[in-house]
Amino acid sequence: MIEDAREMWDREAETFDQAADHGLRDPVVRRAWADLLLPLIGKPGRRVADLGCGTGTLSTLLAAEGQHLVHGVDFSTEMIRRAREKSATVVPSPFFSVADASEPPLSPASFDVVLCRHVLWAMPDPSAALQRWIELLAPGGTLVLIEGLWSNGVGLKSSECARLVGSLRADVQLQILDDDVYWGGRTDDERYLILSAS
C-alpha cells in the first residue's frame, strides 16, 4: 500500500506545482504565504522540519526569505528530486530526505519548528504521527499545521485537528485561511492553520 501511494505521488509530482498554493509561482500568492509563515517561524536561522514537503516550495521559501535551516522530508523520490532542483541556488540550502513523514528519520528535540502542510489528514494514524512530530521539537519549539477539509470530503475538520493537537499540547491557536490570496482563487471548503507554541 505504501508503494502504491509512493508511485501515485511520484506521478503527481509532474503537475504538483501547477496549483497556485503548491508552486507559489504567482508573486502575490508567494508573498501571502511568506507574510503568513515567516512571522510564525521567527528570527532567522531557526531549524525547521518541513514534513511531507512535496516539491519543496515552502522549504525553499523559508530558506530564501527567512534564512532558516530547513530539512524537508517526503516519501516521493520524484517530489524530492524536484525539491532539490528547485532549491539548488538557495542559500542556506535546504536539505531533503526521501522518507515517510509519519516516521521521519530525524533526531528528537532537534528542531525549533515543525511545519506540515496538507499532510496530517493523509497519515494512517494522525494522532501517532502528530506525537512523533512533536517529539522532534526542542524545548519551546513551535508546531505549524496547515490543513483543510476539502469539498470532495477529504481532509480533517478544523475542530478535529485542534482536538488532536490539544490532546498533546497546551497551546492551540486556530486561524481560518479563507482569503483567496493563499489559494490563487476562490475556495468553498475549510482551510486553516493551527499554531502550537507549547
Side-chain angles (χ1 to χ4, degrees), residues 5-14 75-79 82:
R6 181 176 283 118
E7 287 175 13
M8 180 194 79
W9 287 111
D10 280 346
R11 288 191 304 272
E12 289 286 322
E14 185 175 348
F75 78 161
S76 165
T77 303
E78 183 59 18
M79 292 281 192
R82 289 170 184 266

Side-chain angles (χ1 to χ4, degrees), residues 9 23 65 68 76 100 108 114 127 183:
W9 287 111
E65 296 203 29
H68 297 300
S76 165
D100 188 344
V114 168
S127 183
W183 316 109

